[in-house]
Amino acid sequence: MSATFAVTNPATGSELQAVPDAGPADARAAIDRAVQAFAPWKARTAFDRANVLQAWRGLMLRDEEIIARLMTQEMGKPIAESRGEVRYAAAFVEWFAEEGKRAYGEIIPSHVAGKRLLAMRQPVGPVYAVTPWNFPAAMVTRKVAPALAAGCTVVLKPAEQSPLTALHLEALWQQAGGPADAFQVLTTSDPAGVSEPFFADARVRKLTFTGSTEVGKRLYAEAARTMKRVSLELGGHAPFLVFADADVPAAVLQVMASKFRNAGQTCVCANRIYVHASIHDEFSARLADAVRALRVGDPLRDDTQVGPLVDRAGLDKVTAHVADAVAKGARVVVGGGPRDGLYFEPTVLADVTDGMRILKEETFGPVAPVVMFRDDAEVVAAANATPYGLAAYLWTRDLGRGFRVAEALDYGIVGVNDGLPSTPHAPFGGVKDSGIGREGGKWGLEEYLDVKYISIALP
Ligand code: NAD
């Protein structure tokens, strides 16, 4: 592979490094290697695989600062968050290394005396993994660790904006003693061209994808050609409901963490903030003060809280959402526009109403739109009135209301008085247009295991 493409730093616009630009022939070669490596990797015990995974985790933690800097430079995440992401990514490896030992089977009571019925779990086979740029380490390990722990081999295609972190993780895998062909990274500027051989090849048994709903739907259709199993972690449009009895300062703190982390470029970040009329003004004033205090700047500085957006397309979308809202009557309380380069000012919008794009689409930027509501049933209906169903949040001191609303929300994840529910041992994933399947916890391992039923008639 001699062709390369450049990775650029969104904070400075400068070129960071050239990486291999894989094409379809490289993809076919990687598939052959992943298929060859599958039988020996599957044959190793889960305990043996866990040892390799734990060594990999140790090297990730050793290289925390190196990986964090790579990540910040290639996609603009503030360095303090990048360090946190390396630890989060390593925690997935730790969890799945151990969980791989618990891929239990079952013995089913038989309907006849002379039979024994068994269900066992086996790895699905070689896996094709496609990941986005917004969590360049954690989205990789959340897929690759359970796949490897289950006994699958993986070819990973990272996003073209953030291949450097993935390449470093691949190098550490080999340093940890992992077979080179069990986990391969293919970097490319042509995701569709490189993906085609995977969809055409029936030996690749699984597609696991994290990214936009639009691309996810396309790949779901492609995967049907060779009847692959799929896991799809897609876009979100999270509502954040603040009820009249909420702890307002706590809710503001959590909305700040949920909304402005990664400059608002997360699939679970609060995208629509519905606040009850009785506390609306207090909430909005506190939120505006907190947003004004955010430190925007060079993401390599330890104290930076908001960095640039990842690219021009991202910045243009955020700018268009704010312009559309303002044209339709929203009021800018703080921020409101782009700054130099790829930066967008942390923004609070008030008087946001239905019909604005920002209440329909994922914004993926540091903009907090606040909507006033009066009726609990109406706000739950508004929260559900979207094709998306990834994460939702609600704030209340009333346990009964907390349960009732959590159960009524059509979402895969609900945070009750909790703006940051994600953790490696809990199920993460969406319903409706937000995807299929779960990552994390025992559910994350199941995605890489097939159930085999064995019926034994005793002689
Ligand atoms: P994207 O869909 O543009 O790209 C995601 C990946 O798909 C990248 O690796 C890209 O190269 C690849 N890709 C794009 N077109 C392709 C094609 N035709 N064939 C094969 N691969 C293709 O998304 P993005 O901009 O990188 O990421 C942002 C999106 O990801 C947001 O919508 C966000 O909500 C979502 N996301 C979801 C989760 C989740 O867990 N649900 C987590 C993080 C991000």
Side-chain angles (χ1 to χ4, degrees):
M1 198 188 309
S2 54
T4 59
F5 69 99
V7 183
T8 53
N9 181 335
T12 61
S14 61
E15 187 177 322
L16 282 169
Q17 200 177 311
V19 296
D21 197 0
D26 302 304
R28 285 190 287 272
I31 294 169
D32 285 343
R33 286 196 292 272
V35 169
Q36 288 281 321
F38 175 56
W41 183 244
K42 173 186 172 187
R44 288 166 74 160
T45 66
F47 288 76
D48 185 14
R49 290 193 292 262
N51 287 338
V52 183
L53 284 159
Q54 291 288 19
W56 190 32
R57 165 186 176 263
L59 295 178
M60 281 181 207
L61 294 176
R62 181 199 69 186
D63 281 5
E64 177 182 314
E65 195 59 26
I66 295 170
I67 303 171
R69 286 183 71 84
L70 276 178
M71 201 185 300
T72 290
Q73 288 178 300
E74 66 182 346
M75 52 69 70
K77 179 174 297 203
I79 188 78
E81 286 184 32
S82 295
R83 292 180 187 123
E85 183 180 337
V86 177
R87 295 191 291 272
Y88 184 50
F92 280 106
V93 180
E94 179 186 26
W95 168 265
F96 283 112
E98 294 308 309
E99 193 61 10
K101 299 173 186 171
R102 291 184 277 272
Y104 298 136
E106 285 172 72
I107 297 178
I108 303 151
S110 176
H111 53 298
V112 287
K115 281 193 178 188
R116 300 294 181 268
L117 315 181
L118 276 62
M120 65 160 69
R121 288 188 161 78
Q122 293 190 304
V124 296
V127 173
Y128 181 44
V130 179
T131 49
W133 50 265
N134 66 341
F135 288 92
M139 294 303 99
V140 170
T141 58
R142 203 166 74 173
K143 297 181 182 311
V144 173
L148 290 168
C152 300
T153 54
V154 190
V155 182
L156 167 77
K157 194 211 75 56
E160 42 282 33
Q161 295 94 334
S162 63
L164 302 180
T165 302
L167 288 170
H168 195 80
L169 293 177
E170 182 193 37
L172 294 184
W173 167 254
Q174 293 174 16
Q175 275 181 40
D181 294 344
F183 171 41
Q184 304 171 69
V185 174
L186 270 186
T187 56
T188 182
S189 63
D190 175 19
V194 158
S195 296
E196 169 55 30
F198 289 89
F199 296 123
D201 197 323
R203 297 174 302 167
V204 178
R205 293 310 318 136
K206 162 118 193 171
L207 164 71
T208 174
F209 172 82
T210 297
S212 62
T213 296
E214 186 195 348
V215 174
K217 284 186 176 178
R218 216 177 305 152
L219 302 196
Y220 189 18
E222 293 286 338
R225 286 161 49 196
T226 44
M227 200 52 89
K228 299 188 199 311
R229 279 186 62 179
V230 294
S231 297
L232 302 167
E233 297 284 347
L234 310 180
H237 183 39
F240 191 102
L241 315 182
V242 190
F243 288 96
D245 62 349
D247 178 339
V248 172
V252 169
L253 270 181
Q254 293 285 310
V255 88
M256 292 300 296
S258 167
K259 177 73 255 185
F260 294 96
R261 190 165 60 110
N262 207 11
Q265 302 169 110
T266 81
C267 52
V268 291
C269 70
N271 218 49
R272 312 172 271 157
I273 303 162
Y274 294 92
V275 184
H276 190 266
S278 62
I279 51 164
H280 174 271
D281 291 352
E282 181 198 351
F283 181 93
S284 301
R286 283 181 185 270
L287 179 63
D289 285 347
V291 171
R292 259 184 225 105
L294 283 172
R295 287 183 299 276
V296 182
D298 175 1
L300 282 173
R301 282 183 57 127
D302 280 342
D303 60 353
T304 293
Q305 292 170 298
V306 180
L309 296 177
V310 72
D311 55 23
R312 175 63 50 186
L315 181 71
D316 289 348
K317 185 177 186 194
V318 177
T319 309
H321 274 199
V322 172
D324 170 79
V326 170
K328 291 174 181 160
R331 186 163 46 86
V332 174
V333 183
V334 187
R339 284 191 184 176
D340 292 344
L342 296 176
Y343 286 85
F344 196 93
E345 294 175 303
T347 296
V348 176
L349 296 177
D351 303 335
V352 175
T353 51
D354 283 346
M356 297 179 184
R357 276 181 73 187
I358 206 157
L359 286 193
K360 291 204 188 78
E361 298 169 28
E362 191 180 35
T363 306
F364 243 53
V367 181
V370 179
V371 187
M372 191 194 289
F373 77 91
R374 291 179 195 281
D375 181 89
D376 287 13
E378 272 173 26
V379 80
V380 172
N384 285 338
T386 169
Y388 293 107
L390 186 56
Y393 307 90
L394 69 105
W395 251 258
T396 178
R397 287 191 174 96
D398 177 340
L399 185 62
R401 174 189 269 148
F403 261 105
R404 277 189 293 276
V405 174
E407 288 167 7
L409 288 167
D410 297 333
Y411 287 81
I413 303 164
V414 179
V416 180
N417 302 328
D418 183 3
L420 297 170
S422 305
T423 183
H425 44 280
F428 186 104
V431 298
K432 302 184 346 193
D433 271 4
S434 290
I436 295 172
R438 293 293 178 270
E439 293 188 327
K442 64 176 183 174
W443 303 269
L445 190 73
E446 296 278 330
E447 299 281 334
Y448 298 93
L449 294 167
D450 281 330
V451 175
K452 179 177 281 177
Y453 166 50
I454 302 178
S455 174
I456 305 169
L458 302 182

